[in-house]
Amino acid sequence: QVQLRESGGDSVQAGGSLRLSCAASRYFGSRFCMAWFRQGSGQEREGVAWIHSFGPPRYSDSVQGRFILSKDPAKNSVHLQMNDLRPEDSAVYYCAVKNEVQGCTSAPSWYDIWGQGTQVLVSS
């Protein structure tokens, strides 16, 4: 079973930047989706950014233009560069993966492998 580990969460002031990373324990195939989700206190888990191994990244409307998702196939990892952070971006951020798929979705229930999460706190 592939394991995912997130890193890079921290506390920053509004307007600052963070870079989250998600590393897989091993290679898990050539046709996959990797995604970042977040869950604020008392809120549902929501998709932030997702990418298929053969496609461009996609973003939720709330982060479009501020966050950049990139993949590093050589290291079985993806990164989420988060710029112009806002207090409403505060949440636990999770990465997730689904293997052997043709496309991606932002629905949390679709993904079957999850990391433990990393905390992001943005103060005003």
Side-chain angles (χ1 to χ4, degrees):
Q1 175 79 344
V2 174
Q3 293 182 331
L4 303 176
R5 185 167 70 177
E6 304 93 337
S7 61
D10 206 343
S11 297
V12 296
Q13 290 191 330
S17 298
L18 284 174
R19 185 174 186 255
L20 304 184
S21 296
C22 174
S25 57
R26 60 173 177 83
Y27 175 74
F28 45 77
S30 62
R31 293 184 300 120
F32 61 87
C33 284
M34 287 191 83
W36 284 97
F37 293 83
R38 67 185 181 188
Q39 188 166 17
S41 179
Q43 298 180 351
E44 294 186 354
R45 192 167 297 189
E46 64 166 338
V48 174
W50 48 99
I51 188 167
H52 190 269
S53 48
F54 296 130
R58 302 295 178 92
Y59 304 93
S60 67
D61 290 343
S62 61
V63 307
Q64 179 75 46
R66 299 187 297 124
F67 290 12
I68 301 171
L69 177 61
S70 61
K71 57 184 184 228
D72 185 348
K75 297 182 178 179
N76 300 324
S77 61
V78 292
H79 308 285
L80 185 67
Q81 177 66 40
M82 306 189 297
N83 301 317
D84 189 24
L85 283 161
R86 305 166 181 170
E88 55 264 37
D89 294 319
S90 297
V92 177
Y93 283 71
Y94 300 89
C95 70
V97 69
K98 188 170 180 71
N99 199 10
E100 297 299 326
V101 291
Q102 299 290 347
C104 297
T105 174
S106 61
S109 59
W110 190 71
Y111 292 82
D112 48 23
I113 301 173
W114 290 82
Q116 294 299 308
T118 186
Q119 177 77 54
V120 172
L121 182 62
V122 184
S123 58
S124 57

